[in-house]
mmCIF file of all heavy atoms in Angstrom:
data_model
loop_
_atom_site.group_PDB
_atom_site.id
_atom_site.type_symbol
_atom_site.label_atom_id
_atom_site.label_comp_id
_atom_site.label_asym_id
_atom_site.label_seq_id
_atom_site.Cartn_x
_atom_site.Cartn_y
_atom_site.Cartn_z
ATOM 1 N N LEU A 572 -73.528 43.420 289.022
ATOM 2 C CA LEU A 572 -73.828 43.923 287.681
ATOM 3 C C LEU A 572 -75.320 43.906 287.355
ATOM 4 O O LEU A 572 -75.709 44.264 286.235
ATOM 5 C CB LEU A 572 -73.071 43.099 286.624
ATOM 6 C CG LEU A 572 -71.569 43.336 286.542
ATOM 7 C CD1 LEU A 572 -70.916 42.330 285.614
ATOM 8 C CD2 LEU A 572 -71.271 44.745 286.082
ATOM 9 N N ASP A 573 -76.170 43.525 288.311
ATOM 10 C CA ASP A 573 -77.606 43.439 288.045
ATOM 11 C C ASP A 573 -78.203 44.768 287.586
ATOM 12 O O ASP A 573 -79.062 44.796 286.714
ATOM 13 C CB ASP A 573 -78.359 42.931 289.281
ATOM 14 C CG ASP A 573 -78.141 41.446 289.516
ATOM 15 O OD1 ASP A 573 -77.645 40.769 288.590
ATOM 16 O OD2 ASP A 573 -78.455 40.970 290.631
ATOM 17 N N GLY A 574 -77.773 45.852 288.155
ATOM 18 C CA GLY A 574 -78.304 47.168 287.783
ATOM 19 C C GLY A 574 -77.811 47.675 286.438
ATOM 20 O O GLY A 574 -78.250 48.734 285.974
ATOM 21 N N TYR A 575 -76.916 46.936 285.807
ATOM 22 C CA TYR A 575 -76.330 47.374 284.530
ATOM 23 C C TYR A 575 -76.703 46.445 283.372
ATOM 24 O O TYR A 575 -76.184 46.581 282.280
ATOM 25 C CB TYR A 575 -74.809 47.443 284.658
ATOM 26 C CG TYR A 575 -74.360 48.367 285.766
ATOM 27 C CD1 TYR A 575 -74.040 47.867 287.023
ATOM 28 C CD2 TYR A 575 -74.274 49.738 285.552
ATOM 29 C CE1 TYR A 575 -73.635 48.713 288.041
ATOM 30 C CE2 TYR A 575 -73.877 50.587 286.564
ATOM 31 C CZ TYR A 575 -73.559 50.071 287.810
ATOM 32 O OH TYR A 575 -73.171 50.912 288.805
ATOM 33 N N ARG A 576 -77.582 45.495 283.594
ATOM 34 C CA ARG A 576 -77.931 44.510 282.555
ATOM 35 C C ARG A 576 -78.643 45.144 281.364
ATOM 36 O O ARG A 576 -78.622 44.599 280.276
ATOM 37 C CB ARG A 576 -78.793 43.394 283.134
ATOM 38 C CG ARG A 576 -78.157 42.690 284.302
ATOM 39 C CD ARG A 576 -77.760 41.285 284.001
ATOM 40 N NE ARG A 576 -77.257 40.633 285.209
ATOM 41 C CZ ARG A 576 -75.997 40.328 285.399
ATOM 42 N NH1 ARG A 576 -75.114 40.590 284.479
ATOM 43 N NH2 ARG A 576 -75.595 39.756 286.519
ATOM 44 N N HIS A 577 -79.273 46.284 281.567
ATOM 45 C CA HIS A 577 -79.996 46.957 280.487
ATOM 46 C C HIS A 577 -79.069 47.735 279.541
ATOM 47 O O HIS A 577 -79.479 48.132 278.453
ATOM 48 C CB HIS A 577 -81.043 47.911 281.067
ATOM 49 C CG HIS A 577 -80.441 49.076 281.791
ATOM 50 N ND1 HIS A 577 -79.893 48.959 283.048
ATOM 51 C CD2 HIS A 577 -80.276 50.360 281.423
ATOM 52 C CE1 HIS A 577 -79.423 50.132 283.434
ATOM 53 N NE2 HIS A 577 -79.644 51.004 282.463
ATOM 54 N N LEU A 578 -77.824 47.932 279.931
ATOM 55 C CA LEU A 578 -76.887 48.707 279.122
ATOM 56 C C LEU A 578 -76.375 47.901 277.931
ATOM 57 O O LEU A 578 -76.365 46.671 277.949
ATOM 58 C CB LEU A 578 -75.688 49.140 279.980
ATOM 59 C CG LEU A 578 -75.980 50.081 281.149
ATOM 60 C CD1 LEU A 578 -74.706 50.335 281.935
ATOM 61 C CD2 LEU A 578 -76.572 51.380 280.646
ATOM 62 N N GLU A 579 -75.927 48.620 276.917
ATOM 63 C CA GLU A 579 -75.299 47.977 275.758
ATOM 64 C C GLU A 579 -74.020 47.276 276.214
ATOM 65 O O GLU A 579 -73.271 47.793 277.034
ATOM 66 C CB GLU A 579 -74.952 49.039 274.713
ATOM 67 C CG GLU A 579 -74.214 48.507 273.518
ATOM 68 C CD GLU A 579 -73.731 49.611 272.589
ATOM 69 O OE1 GLU A 579 -74.087 50.785 272.783
ATOM 70 O OE2 GLU A 579 -72.975 49.283 271.655
ATOM 71 N N ALA A 580 -73.783 46.090 275.662
ATOM 72 C CA ALA A 580 -72.592 45.319 276.035
ATOM 73 C C ALA A 580 -71.613 45.298 274.868
ATOM 74 O O ALA A 580 -71.991 45.016 273.733
ATOM 75 C CB ALA A 580 -72.981 43.905 276.418
ATOM 76 N N LYS A 605 -73.056 55.007 278.909
ATOM 77 C CA LYS A 605 -72.535 53.938 279.761
ATOM 78 C C LYS A 605 -72.693 52.615 279.041
ATOM 79 O O LYS A 605 -73.681 52.382 278.347
ATOM 80 C CB LYS A 605 -73.279 53.876 281.083
ATOM 81 C CG LYS A 605 -72.720 54.753 282.145
ATOM 82 C CD LYS A 605 -73.284 54.389 283.489
ATOM 83 C CE LYS A 605 -72.635 55.236 284.543
ATOM 84 N NZ LYS A 605 -73.082 54.860 285.874
ATOM 85 N N VAL A 606 -71.729 51.719 279.229
ATOM 86 C CA VAL A 606 -71.747 50.388 278.623
ATOM 87 C C VAL A 606 -71.199 49.373 279.624
ATOM 88 O O VAL A 606 -70.595 49.739 280.629
ATOM 89 C CB VAL A 606 -70.905 50.318 277.325
ATOM 90 C CG1 VAL A 606 -71.479 51.201 276.238
ATOM 91 C CG2 VAL A 606 -69.463 50.647 277.590
ATOM 92 N N VAL A 607 -71.407 48.109 279.297
ATOM 93 C CA VAL A 607 -70.766 47.023 280.026
ATOM 94 C C VAL A 607 -69.779 46.383 279.059
ATOM 95 O O VAL A 607 -70.153 45.964 277.967
ATOM 96 C CB VAL A 607 -71.784 45.980 280.521
ATOM 97 C CG1 VAL A 607 -71.069 44.787 281.131
ATOM 98 C CG2 VAL A 607 -72.737 46.593 281.520
#
Side-chain angles (χ1 to χ4, degrees):
L572 287 172
D573 287 346
Y575 302 97
R576 304 249 185 251
H577 67 284
L578 296 177
E579 176 187 352
K605 272 194 176 184
V606 295
V607 173

